[in-house]
Amino acid sequence: MRILGISNTKDSGACLLIDGELVAAVNEERLNRNKMTRAFPEKSIEWLLNSHGLSAHDIDAISIGAWKAINSTIELKRYLKIAKEMIYKNPGTRDAIESRIKGSINSDTKQWTEFKKGLESKCFSKHRFFHCQHQMAHSYTAFEFSPYERALVVSLDGRGDFMSGSVSIWRKGQKPFVLRNELELDSLGLLYGLITYYLGFTPDRHEGKIMGLAARGNPEVCLELMRKMVVEKEGCIISNIGEYYAPYMKAELPKLRSVLSRFKREDIAAAIQKHLEETVVAYISHYLTQTGEKNLCVAGGVFANVLLNMCLRELPEVENLFVFPHMGDGGISVGGAAYAASQLGDKVKPMKNAYLGPSNDINTYIDFIINSGFKITEPSDFPSKVALLIHKGYVVGFYCGRMEYGPRALGARSILARATDPTINSELNRRLNRTEFMPFSPVTLEEAAEKCYQGWKKEDVSSYYMTSCYNATELMKKQSPAAIHIDGTARPQIINSFIHKEYYAVLKAYNSMSNIPSIINTSFNLHEEPIACDIEQALDVLKYSGVDALAIPPLIIYKS
């Protein structure tokens, strides 16, 4: 079966599943260059079909993991019952609740209408169609692409189809059993986004900045304030809509703004981060104890928080953790496709890697590169030359093979630098016009990972996708201080030759020169731009001095 998964949620995109294998996936922002676009993913669909020699007629089914509204009469009744109870308890909550409901209806209706128009424009309106509820789509990504036969599966995000999370039990080849759904009124994702907004950043985009800022503050100063907003109780997420919380990210709450103004932003960030960790840990621990499951699979925007994921991985009840690499709404097309596959009898296969996007042939760009005034070299030993540049202090753009799927750069579209000098973070922020509160992340040789990260083991699947933090060892802190946060953690990507041969070879050569198995790896883009997809975009970063050299096997390109 050939299944085309499509989504026009935030960070829209599409994927192709063939006989249960995820063979390709891309987000529209990488192709239309509009970051986090919600547009119907026309370019993504065109690339998927063209790159596999397919037409619309060759597709067996279409799917989406959004815009299904409330999934059952039971959930609708529960939503209305809880909303009425909230209003009865505090009549002042009526406006906030009605605003949330109307906003969800209007936004979802608009996106669903645009989705149907997009299908018609691409001649897909008569195809067999599978419609998966949003939280279930996240859950499908979390479990079906994991290596496990059974697991507890948790999705948590801002909102989607009037829900903000779910907990379920999964077994390969069986229908999932849902234990709990959380309403959008009780949303940890919206809470974190609300604090992001009040700290002057863009919600649904800059939550990572808050997580980085948190290590510089004292959470105890205003932790009780966070506990007045959304809490966990006996396996339920419960909000307190009122003066301090409303279920949307840009809620104007004068009392909250007034109280927050008394605290430093570092302390506010620390408080919301600690509150998120405590709440989600308590929530998931409840179900781990109840079910006895040892494998935990998670997806949804809340799990973009790598410090939270570290807390989950370290739970004594958890033997294995899998975070779907594209955990946010950008991965929803894959969840919808996996749902369709399950309905059609296709067995979904675990992910092999995240290199699922477009690639370019460097030979087709040679004339363009020369005519643009760049200098091209072809070293006899490409990995060693790239490693030597990094060892000498060069910042190198590394462009190799198919682009990564998801928000993390994993060596296909990466900027690489040595991690021995802590001042490199300021230098990279200046060059790339970024304002980050966390250091840039390291990539580390698999054979050295155990010596670099406390508690790391080869079975930590998520460490290969850079979706969790680790406490760094003293050796790692000494060798690679630029990749260590002030709280002593790092967010590593572990690499071996099977995952990405050329990338591994560069790091292996660097280790031979320096006796250091880690370097900095950050995404190949300037601030607020999507990661570079094609070679021209990579050359632009070189042109504007974001990098000193651009390495595209077998060539290394310089400004002049």
Side-chain angles (χ1 to χ4, degrees):
M1 287 284 186
R2 298 189 185 101
I3 301 170
L4 186 65
I6 305 172
S7 78
N8 63 330
T9 55
K10 61 178 179 288
D11 201 11
S12 65
C15 73
L16 183 62
L17 216 63
I18 299 180
D19 297 332
E21 182 176 356
L22 183 60
V23 298
V26 68
N27 289 99
E28 191 74 358
E29 67 159 25
R30 307 291 171 90
L31 303 175
N32 73 3
R33 311 308 294 165
N34 180 9
K35 192 170 178 68
M36 299 292 285
T37 182
R38 290 175 176 263
F40 184 82
E42 293 185 15
K43 293 181 182 294
S44 301
I45 293 169
E46 288 172 4
W47 173 74
L48 287 168
L49 296 179
N50 292 339
S51 63
H52 288 81
L54 302 174
S55 70
H57 299 291
D58 297 314
I59 299 299
D60 298 302
I62 304 293
S63 64
I64 188 175
W67 325 133
K68 197 174 183 180
I70 293 181
N71 208 27
S72 70
T73 303
I74 294 174
E75 291 295 348
L76 176 59
K77 288 181 178 178
R78 185 167 76 92
Y79 191 113
L80 295 176
K81 178 177 180 290
I82 290 174
K84 287 178 181 179
E85 289 173 351
M86 287 179 172
I87 294 170
Y88 179 78
K89 182 180 178 181
N90 180 3
T93 64
R94 176 184 291 274
D95 288 347
I97 292 171
E98 287 184 352
S99 177
R100 175 68 277 163
I101 294 172
K102 290 177 182 177
S104 296
I105 292 172
N106 292 339
S107 174
D108 291 7
T109 300
K110 176 178 178 290
Q111 292 302 114
W112 174 235
T113 300
E114 291 181 359
F115 180 83
K116 289 188 291 185
K117 288 180 180 177
L119 289 186
E120 291 176 3
S121 70
K122 291 294 180 183
C123 302
F124 288 128
S125 58
K126 294 183 180 180
H127 278 65
R128 193 170 183 184
F129 180 69
F130 292 88
H131 202 168
C132 184
Q133 192 267 348
H134 187 85
Q135 300 302 330
M136 186 54 67
H138 277 312
S139 298
Y140 266 95
T141 66
F143 180 72
E144 293 289 12
F145 297 95
S146 79
Y148 314 132
E149 292 294 318
R150 57 185 293 169
L152 181 73
V153 179
V154 180
S155 73
L156 289 171
D157 62 7
R159 60 162 297 270
D161 290 339
F162 297 87
M163 299 291 157
S164 67
S166 73
V167 183
S168 47
I169 299 172
W170 289 65
R171 306 282 187 273
K172 285 290 186 184
Q174 298 181 26
K175 184 178 179 181
F177 182 76
V178 178
L179 299 172
R180 173 77 183 173
N181 285 316
E182 301 299 340
L183 303 181
E184 64 180 358
L185 302 177
D186 306 309
S187 174
L188 286 168
L190 293 181
L191 171 63
Y192 207 98
L194 177 66
I195 298 302
T196 300
Y197 174 65
Y198 273 70
L199 288 178
F201 298 97
T202 304
D204 244 358
R205 184 175 294 191
H206 291 157
E207 280 79 358
K209 296 180 186 292
I210 307 306
M211 181 184 66
L213 186 62
R216 292 173 163 80
N218 176 9
E220 303 302 327
V221 174
C222 54
L223 186 58
E224 284 304 313
L225 175 62
M226 304 302 159
R227 291 171 176 163
K228 292 179 180 180
M229 301 181 189
V230 181
V231 297
E232 183 275 341
K233 185 176 181 181
E234 298 177 354
C236 303
I237 305 297
I238 301 171
S239 69
N240 181 22
I241 298 174
E243 294 180 315
Y244 298 112
Y245 173 75
Y248 33 100
M249 292 182 177
K250 294 185 179 181
E252 289 300 333
L253 302 169
K255 184 70 175 290
L256 175 62
R257 190 173 291 279
S258 174
V259 173
L260 288 177
S261 68
R262 304 171 194 169
F263 305 109
K264 296 189 298 182
R265 66 176 187 171
E266 292 85 355
D267 294 338
I268 297 169
I272 187 59
Q273 179 64 30
K274 183 173 182 179
H275 182 56
L276 178 75
E277 291 172 8
E278 290 181 343
T279 304
V280 176
V281 164
Y283 181 67
I284 291 179
S285 294
H286 175 90
Y287 292 102
L288 289 168
T289 301
Q290 178 180 313
T291 63
E293 292 295 337
K294 300 296 183 183
N295 298 324
L296 176 62
C297 299
V298 298
V302 167
F303 298 108
N305 193 300
V306 292
L307 290 173
L308 167 62
N309 296 341
M310 180 174 74
C311 294
L312 296 176
R313 193 191 67 249
E314 293 178 344
L315 285 172
E317 303 95 329
V318 174
E319 290 184 0
N320 298 295
L321 171 69
F322 179 72
V323 184
F324 183 65
H326 208 345
M327 69 293 290
D329 280 3
I332 277 293
S333 66
V334 174
Y339 168 76
S342 72
Q343 301 302 299
L344 292 167
D346 274 0
K347 184 178 180 180
V348 178
K349 299 175 177 63
M351 285 187 76
K352 296 177 181 177
N353 57 62
Y355 305 110
L356 298 166
S359 63
N360 291 140
D361 180 1
I362 183 63
N363 293 313
T364 63
Y365 284 84
I366 296 297
D367 289 342
F368 174 82
I369 293 169
I370 294 172
N371 292 336
S372 298
F374 295 105
K375 176 185 175 183
I376 299 176
T377 65
E378 187 171 355
S380 58
D381 187 342
F382 175 82
S384 293
K385 180 60 178 178
V386 176
L388 182 60
L389 290 174
I390 295 169
H391 189 45
K392 287 182 174 180
Y394 282 64
V395 176
V396 178
F398 196 71
Y399 184 107
C400 183
R402 294 180 65 179
M403 185 178 64
E404 307 91 337
Y405 181 58
R408 313 287 191 233
L410 301 172
R413 305 291 185 275
S414 288
I415 292 176
L416 308 177
R418 64 186 182 186
T420 54
D421 180 6
T423 64
I424 190 63
N425 290 296
S426 298
E427 173 66 10
L428 285 174
N429 277 325
R430 181 191 66 79
R431 285 182 177 225
L432 303 173
N433 194 27
R434 297 180 185 173
T435 53
E436 302 294 340
F437 301 110
M438 289 188 75
F440 294 98
S441 299
V443 55
T444 300
L445 294 172
E446 182 185 79
E447 55 266 35
E450 200 170 359
K451 297 179 181 178
C452 296
Y453 308 107
Q454 296 178 29
W456 180 88
K457 59 184 189 295
K458 195 171 182 179
E459 293 75 24
D460 289 349
V461 182
S462 293
S463 67
Y464 295 90
Y465 297 107
M466 202 184 279
T467 55
S468 181
C469 278
Y470 288 81
N471 287 306
T473 64
E474 291 305 314
L475 177 65
M476 181 67 184
K477 292 176 184 177
K478 181 181 178 180
Q479 289 185 333
S480 304
I484 310 301
H485 201 20
I486 59 174
D487 60 3
T489 64
R491 183 190 69 189
Q493 177 198 2
I494 308 303
I495 189 69
N496 59 38
S497 60
F498 177 77
I499 294 173
H500 198 303
K501 182 179 178 181
E502 294 85 357
Y503 187 33
Y504 174 81
V506 169
L507 185 52
K508 190 77 172 175
Y510 176 81
N511 184 50
S512 297
M513 297 172 188
S514 64
N515 201 31
I516 298 173
S518 304
I519 57 176
I520 284 174
N521 162 31
T522 189
S523 56
F524 204 147
N525 62 293
L526 301 175
H527 184 53
E528 291 300 301
E529 290 186 4
I531 293 175
C533 181
D534 66 32
I535 289 175
E536 286 189 41
Q537 292 150 13
L539 288 167
D540 278 343
V541 180
L542 174 62
K543 178 180 178 181
Y544 295 110
S545 301
V547 295
D548 299 311
L550 173 59
I552 309 175
L555 307 179
I556 299 178
I557 304 165
Y558 303 88
K559 284 185 78 171
S560 71

